[in-house]
Amino acid sequence: MKNIENVLFDMDQTLVDSGPYYSEVMWKVIDEEARRLIKEIASNNPEYKKFVNQDPPDEIVKTVVFSRANLIEALVHQELIDSDSLKEKIVVYPQIPEVLEQFRDEGKKLFVVSGTTEKVVKHVIDQVCLNKFFDGILFMLKGLFIN
């Protein structure tokens, strides 16, 4: 490993176990946003008027969610950034700090790779106290790396 100068780490499910918390936040946002959008649509559309004062069926909620995927993703990211409980809910995998420290001691440059937004990655890495190990963040967009 002497010839290796740079090491890339995916953030989610490699450095940290964020899956359960991300799912919790995603479903909360999806439920709130989909129901809000349905009520907004219902107030302007006679066909959906019946849902203004009651919960819409799950099938309609799913349709709205899939048609608004980018909005939902943006809301999930904002919820993660605004969260005060990331440190308690996102867990750094055992031995990750020691492995990162060893690579740093060997003079390797370390980078986080992610498909999520820069704000979310920085916030998560800061909250779990791994930021001191990394030289930068690389973002994947449809198979391409963006620095």
Side-chain angles (χ1 to χ4, degrees):
M1 291 198 14
K2 292 180 181 178
N3 297 335
I4 297 173
E5 296 177 17
N6 302 308
V7 183
L8 308 178
F9 291 90
D10 181 40
M11 182 178 70
D12 296 311
Q13 307 317 114
T14 301
L15 296 172
V16 297
D17 182 9
S18 57
Y21 183 59
Y22 186 86
S23 293
E24 175 188 319
V25 169
M26 182 181 68
W27 286 114
K28 175 183 173 240
V29 166
I30 284 173
D31 190 60
E32 290 172 0
E33 184 60 16
R35 293 180 192 286
R36 185 194 69 74
L37 288 168
I38 289 165
K39 289 184 186 225
E40 182 181 307
I41 292 165
S43 66
N44 297 316
N45 185 329
E47 186 179 339
Y48 295 107
K49 263 303 194 221
K50 60 186 171 190
F51 299 125
V52 172
N53 295 317
Q54 64 181 12
D55 274 344
D58 286 343
E59 282 310 306
I60 292 176
V61 172
K62 288 176 190 169
T63 302
V64 169
V65 166
F66 289 117
S67 68
R68 302 286 181 124
N70 290 338
L71 173 62
I72 297 294
E73 183 178 25
L75 291 169
V76 167
H77 289 172
Q78 192 58 51
E79 183 79 20
L80 288 170
I81 291 166
D82 292 344
S83 174
D84 293 330
S85 59
L86 275 181
K87 200 169 191 170
E88 293 83 39
K89 297 205 175 194
I90 293 182
V91 179
V92 175
Y93 285 117
Q95 299 168 335
I96 287 294
E98 292 84 7
V99 169
L100 297 174
E101 187 72 47
Q102 181 179 347
F103 279 131
R104 294 297 294 188
D105 289 348
E106 293 172 7
K108 312 282 189 246
K109 289 191 176 186
L110 307 179
F111 297 89
V112 176
V113 178
S114 183
T116 190
T117 68
E118 182 176 6
K119 262 185 163 176
V120 171
V121 174
K122 283 183 176 179
H123 187 66
V124 170
I125 295 299
D126 286 349
Q127 288 294 302
V128 297
C129 303
L130 293 179
N131 53 343
K132 65 183 177 185
F133 295 109
F134 293 100
D135 296 292
I137 301 169
L138 301 173
F139 297 95
M140 273 183 34
L141 181 64
K142 296 184 182 176
L144 301 173
F145 285 109
I146 302 169
N147 189 355

